[in-house]
Amino acid sequence: MSNDTEHTPNDEAINLVAYINPKAAYYQSCKSAIEEIMEITRQEPGCQRFELYENTTHTQLILIERFARQSAFDFHHRQPYTQAIYRLYQDALTCPPELHFLTES
């Protein structure tokens, strides 16, 4: 995964925008896989925002995430349902997800 900003392991909120580029044949599979974990992710401790968008040409998925602290972000990424999506991504994406960690100004 490519990052424009490394996040620091501390207890500050984690804000992330992830750009995901599925191969055409996998677009709907990737979209559905993320949609299937939306509600359970939103119920995780510390999850404050987890939203999925797509561009108008239906070639890119955009995830906007906010977790209250690093430990909540790490918890989400250790869950079996999140790991299953990462396994799907291995064959389904044109390139690694582009991750942008943001700080509040």
Side-chain angles (χ1 to χ4, degrees):
M1 294 182 205
S2 61
N3 300 332
D4 75 341
T5 307
E6 290 295 325
H7 64 282
T8 56
N10 57 30
D11 233 18
E12 294 180 14
I14 303 297
N15 296 284
L16 171 66
V17 178
Y19 296 92
I20 303 158
N21 297 291
K23 296 173 186 171
Y26 288 94
Y27 186 85
Q28 191 57 49
S29 297
C30 289
K31 182 181 174 187
S32 295
I34 296 168
E35 289 172 337
E36 288 174 13
I37 71 163
M38 297 293 290
E39 286 308 313
I40 193 166
T41 298
R42 289 176 179 156
Q43 294 173 22
E44 291 173 0
C47 179
Q48 298 175 332
R49 185 175 184 188
F50 193 80
E51 299 171 359
L52 177 63
Y53 298 90
E54 59 188 329
N55 67 359
T56 57
T57 58
H58 304 285
T59 57
Q60 185 178 64
L61 300 168
I62 301 98
L63 262 176
I64 299 177
E65 303 179 30
R66 179 177 171 88
F67 288 86
R69 61 198 155 280
Q70 181 71 45
S71 58
F73 181 78
D74 294 342
F75 174 85
H76 168 67
H77 289 275
R78 285 192 308 266
Q79 297 311 299
Y81 46 86
T82 305
Q83 292 294 314
I85 290 176
Y86 292 154
R87 286 190 297 277
L88 171 63
Y89 285 175
Q90 290 176 0
D91 294 323
L93 302 186
T94 62
C95 59
E98 183 180 327
L99 307 179
H100 295 269
F101 290 91
L102 310 173
T103 57
E104 293 183 35
S105 57

